[in-house]
């Protein structure tokens, strides 16, 4: 071929490649971005002024502001950020204080055992976080001479378990790096500020939001600005019923402007002067990557909560597990309970639990008992009669992706039990040792489902008296004292312990059907604490469930289905022919 033909073929092939290559996505128009320097500066100034006036007093903020040692400061922020992942601030505070008191430095944490870490983390959820935090602390001590990386890039690259958000938070708050952060609160704020209606969980949209966050972050106070943006999302720009009137940056919010225009249009319509309302969402670009899809137009009834928009979550999968509270008499005839350690990876890794076995859905009760009896026989080394297992109730616990039902049984063993060392770690514990062990909130609920367990010991009496005082109106609304655990997430667990306790101890009810009804934590709570129901008078009038008093007057047990919130549990035959 001549050179001209060769060049012609090359050009033809190049055109074909361009035709086959996917077109680059069109950049979003200016209304979705922060392109005006004056607006960016005003937004920074207004948000930081609000934060200085209104920020919450939190222990990790105090440490970040007062700790002179850079490595300790970075560690303190790091611990708080890991704990705050998927967990509310109110829950984290007490855990954080106890953690920093026990392990104030990276070196102290690196020397701790995983069992100690799990014990302190118990009840906080997402238990692998504590394990990864300790693994990373050991790496800093052993490989980095105890020196924390100072930039977001190095933090993410060198520390296992530290992602883009955590790295940005540590670097900006502890070391003053001008880098943005994007978490759930920031996503919500940015999507409303700029009417980002595309799926906010998609990687492409997340990348655009990171770009916005890096444009907005204040160069002189990056840590405070990032915390201010998150604080705004946590306290004002909340998912439902946001407090737009109190928002310090509402004048920069495209979603709020749309709401104001809708209100103006409605007002004008009353007087027959209505003009078309410009669609703030419609940026004129047919395939805008940040606009809402055409199938999901603006809903005036939702206001700013039209944003953000996420793809529908998959429903949690349902799982059933049979678990047995195995009891024996130990030294001085004190009761002891058998617990086993879960595998070192997977759900609830390394935590302790009562012997448990997964069940197939819709399994008959007789078969459930047989499978659990076989499982217990492997642990105890002796035959276990399925009929000897006493049914206690069902406990429901919701994990992020699992709707878990524990079918709870109990069994008392006589004589010594030889444990098989080839099986997973296991031990016998007293009640106090159980409460101090690294057990999940789910297992605490299982513990509370057995009234015999709940009434043993003076601590349980304290709990009963405390909860009684709450319902008498002499204490705070659901506040939890130290002996009930740490944080509001344990309220369900505490109540699931107390309600069966009252029944089993005879303090309030004596009707034989009550334990079955209160064996389910949420069913029992909704029934007893239902609005308008004066449960304190149940039993006091001598009738147990036969007579109770509501705001509407006396009612009988047959009328319980009319009590607001009452949900009858799954039907079960009670042990002992009751």
């Amino acid at each position: 071929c001549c050179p001209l033909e060769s060049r012609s073929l090359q050009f033809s092939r190049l055109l074909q490649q361009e035709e086959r290559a996917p077109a680059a996505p069109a950049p979003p128009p200016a209304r979705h971005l922060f392109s005006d320097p004056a607006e960016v500066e005003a937004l920074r100034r207004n948000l930081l002024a609000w934060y200085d006036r209104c920020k919450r007093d939190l222990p990790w903020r105090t440490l970040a502001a007062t700790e002179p040692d850079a490595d300790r400061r970075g560690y303190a922020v790091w611990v708080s950020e890991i704990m705050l992942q998927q967990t509310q601030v109110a829950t984290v505070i007490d855990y954080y204080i106890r953690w920093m008191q026990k392990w104030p430095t990276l070196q102290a944490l690196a020397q701790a055992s995983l069992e100690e870490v799990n014990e302190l983390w118990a009840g906080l959820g997402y238990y692998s976080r504590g394990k990864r935090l300790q693994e990373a602390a050991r790496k800093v001590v052993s490989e980095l001479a105890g020196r924390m990386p100072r930039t977001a890039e190095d933090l993410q690259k060198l520390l296992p378990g530290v992602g883009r958000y955590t790295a940005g938070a540590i670097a900006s708050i502890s070391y003053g790096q001008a880098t943005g952060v994007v978490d759930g609160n920031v996503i919500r704020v940015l999507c409303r500020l700029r009417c980002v209606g595309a799926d906010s969980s998609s990687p492409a949209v997340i990348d655009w939001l990171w770009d916005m966050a890096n444009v907005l972050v204040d160069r002189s106070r990056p840590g405070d600005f990032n915390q201010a943006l998150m604080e705004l999302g946590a306290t004002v720009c909340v998912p439902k019923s946001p407090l737009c009137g109190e928002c310090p940056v509402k004048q920069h919010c495209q979603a709020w402007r749309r709401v104001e225009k809708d209100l103006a249009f409605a007002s004008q319509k009353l007087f027959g002067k209505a003009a078309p309302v410009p669609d703030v969402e419609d940026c004129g670009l047919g395939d805008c990557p940040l606009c809402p899809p055409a199938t999901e137009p603006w809903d005036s009834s939702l206001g700013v909560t039209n944003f953000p928009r996420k793809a529908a979550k998959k429903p949690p999968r349902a799982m059933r597990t049979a678990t047995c509270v195995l009891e024996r008499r130990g030294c001085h005839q004190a009761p002891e309970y058998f617990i086993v350690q879960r595998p070192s990876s997977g759900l609830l890794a390394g935590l302790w639990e009562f012997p448990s076995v997964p069940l197939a859905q819709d399994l008959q009760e007789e078969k459930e008992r047989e499978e659990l009896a076989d499982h217990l026989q492997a642990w105890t080394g002796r035959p276990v009669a399925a009929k000897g297992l006493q049914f206690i109730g069902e406990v429901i616990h919701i994990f992020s992706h699992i709707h878990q039902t524990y079918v709870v049984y109990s069994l008392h063993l006589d004589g010594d039990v030889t444990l098989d060392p080839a099986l997973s770690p296991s031990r016998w514990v007293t009640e106090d040792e159980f409460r101090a062990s690294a057990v999940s909130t789910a297992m605490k609920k299982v513990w509370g489902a057995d009234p015999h367990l709940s009434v043993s010991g003076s601590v349980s009496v304290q709990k009963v008296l405390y909860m009684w005082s709450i319902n008498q109106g002499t204490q705070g609304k659901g506040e939890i004292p130290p002996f009930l655990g740490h944080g509001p997430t344990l309220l369900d667990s505490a109540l699931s312990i107390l309600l069966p306790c009252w029944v089993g101890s005879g303090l309030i009810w004596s009707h034989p059907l009550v334990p079955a009804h209160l064996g389910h934590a949420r069913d029992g709570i909704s029934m007893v604490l239902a609005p308008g129901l004066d449960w304190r008078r149940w039993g006091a009038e001598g009738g147990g469930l036969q007579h109770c008093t509501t705001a509407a007057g006396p009612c009988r047990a047959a009328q319980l289905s009319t009590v607001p919130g009452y949900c009858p549990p799954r039907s079960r035959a009670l042990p002992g022919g009751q």
Side-chain angles (χ1 to χ4, degrees), residues 232-310:
L232 185 68
T235 62
V236 174
C237 194
V238 293
K240 298 178 180 179
S241 303
L243 307 175
C244 294
E246 300 178 17
C247 179
V249 294
K250 62 178 178 289
Q251 65 269 36
H252 307 287
C253 180
Q254 296 278 8
W256 183 73
R257 290 179 191 172
R258 173 61 189 264
V259 171
E260 291 292 294
K261 289 183 178 181
D262 276 352
L263 292 174
F265 175 76
S267 177
Q268 293 171 0
K269 191 174 181 180
L270 288 175
F271 299 99
K273 301 178 180 179
V277 179
D279 192 340
V280 177
E281 297 173 290
D282 185 3
C283 52
L285 190 65
D287 57 349
C288 173
L290 298 183
C291 274
T295 55
E296 300 176 20
W298 170 274
D299 184 345
S300 297
S301 66
L302 296 178
V304 301
T305 62
N306 274 279
F307 308 101
R309 302 187 183 189
K310 297 181 181 180

Side-chain angles (χ1 to χ4, degrees), residues 58-69 72-77 96-97 100-101 104 173:
L58 300 173
W60 45 89
R61 288 178 178 167
T62 301
L63 276 175
T66 60
E67 175 55 62
D69 184 272
R72 284 197 174 200
R73 186 168 64 248
Y75 168 66
V77 173
Y96 181 82
I97 292 172
M100 297 305 296
Q101 288 173 344
I173 297 170

Side-chain angles (χ1 to χ4, degrees), residues 367-507:
K367 187 62 177 176
E368 288 181 355
R369 289 174 177 269
E370 291 175 358
E371 291 199 11
L372 182 58
D374 291 342
H375 183 69
L376 295 174
Q377 181 173 334
W379 281 106
T380 62
R382 62 169 70 174
V384 174
K387 292 183 178 179
L389 295 170
Q390 182 179 7
F391 174 73
I392 300 301
E394 292 184 357
V395 170
I396 295 174
H397 189 77
I398 309 298
F399 297 97
S400 60
H401 56 297
I402 297 173
H403 186 283
Q404 176 70 66
T405 300
Y406 292 96
V407 186
V408 185
Y409 295 87
S410 68
L411 179 66
H412 180 82
L413 294 179
D414 295 320
D416 293 332
V417 176
T418 302
L419 303 178
D420 186 347
L423 297 173
S424 299
S426 59
R427 55 192 169 115
W428 290 93
V429 295
T430 64
E431 177 178 348
D432 289 339
E433 289 169 340
F434 173 84
R435 297 184 188 283
S437 298
V439 296
S440 67
T441 300
M443 279 300 112
K444 292 175 182 176
K445 290 183 178 180
V446 168
W447 173 276
D450 190 336
H452 297 95
L453 298 178
S454 303
V455 297
S456 61
S458 59
V459 174
S460 294
V461 174
Q462 284 182 303
K463 292 180 180 180
V464 172
L465 294 176
Y466 179 79
M467 295 306 296
W468 175 273
S469 66
I470 287 178
N471 286 281
Q472 291 281 11
T474 58
Q475 290 282 348
K477 297 181 179 179
E479 296 175 359
I480 302 179
F483 53 77
L484 275 181
H486 304 277
T489 58
L490 291 186
L491 181 58
D492 286 352
S493 178
L495 286 173
S496 71
I497 291 172
L498 292 172
L499 295 176
C501 173
W502 288 328
V503 176
S505 61
L507 290 178

Side-chain angles (χ1 to χ4, degrees), residues 85-97:
Q85 292 171 5
Q86 305 294 323
T87 309
Q88 293 182 347
V89 167
T91 302
V92 168
I93 291 175
D94 193 52
Y95 281 90
Y96 181 82
I97 292 172

Side-chain angles (χ1 to χ4, degrees), residues 25-206:
R31 73 169 64 254
H32 289 308
L33 305 176
F34 293 94
S35 53
D36 182 357
E39 182 186 23
V40 170
E41 186 59 35
L43 188 150
R44 291 171 178 168
R45 184 173 57 252
N46 294 336
L47 184 60
L48 284 169
W50 168 83
Y51 180 70
D52 291 337
R53 293 192 312 270
C54 303
K55 65 182 176 183
R56 291 170 290 178
D57 183 16
L58 300 173
W60 45 89
R61 288 178 178 167
T62 301
L63 276 175
T66 60
E67 175 55 62
D69 184 272
D71 294 311
R72 284 197 174 200
R73 186 168 64 248
Y75 168 66
V77 173
W78 182 15
V79 172
S80 70
E81 292 300 336
I82 297 298
M83 286 188 170
L84 286 165
Q85 292 171 5
Q86 305 294 323
T87 309
Q88 293 182 347
V89 167
T91 302
V92 168
I93 291 175
D94 193 52
Y95 281 90
Y96 181 82
I97 292 172
R98 290 188 293 122
W99 182 286
M100 297 305 296
Q101 288 173 344
K102 191 173 182 67
W103 302 302
T105 65
L106 284 160
Q107 290 75 11
L109 177 59
Q111 294 172 3
S113 68
L114 180 58
E115 180 72 11
E116 290 177 299
V117 171
N118 283 338
E119 286 177 0
L120 198 150
W121 202 277
L124 198 55
Y126 297 92
Y127 296 92
S128 60
R129 293 180 295 171
K131 179 182 178 181
R132 289 200 304 266
L133 179 57
Q134 188 196 34
E135 289 173 348
R138 287 177 172 172
K139 181 176 181 179
V140 173
V141 171
S142 63
E143 300 180 21
L144 304 178
R147 187 177 188 274
M148 286 280 292
R150 297 299 198 261
T151 67
E153 295 75 18
D154 285 345
L155 285 161
Q156 188 174 355
K157 180 172 65 175
L158 297 175
L159 300 187
V162 172
R164 189 177 182 182
Y165 162 75
T166 304
I170 297 172
S172 62
I173 297 170
S174 302
Y175 305 124
Q177 182 183 358
T179 183
V181 296
V182 173
D183 72 344
N185 286 318
V186 173
I187 288 173
R188 184 165 55 257
V189 172
L190 294 181
C191 285
R192 290 173 180 173
L193 284 174
R194 282 302 178 261
C195 280
V196 176
D199 178 6
S200 63
S201 62
S202 72
V205 174
I206 292 294

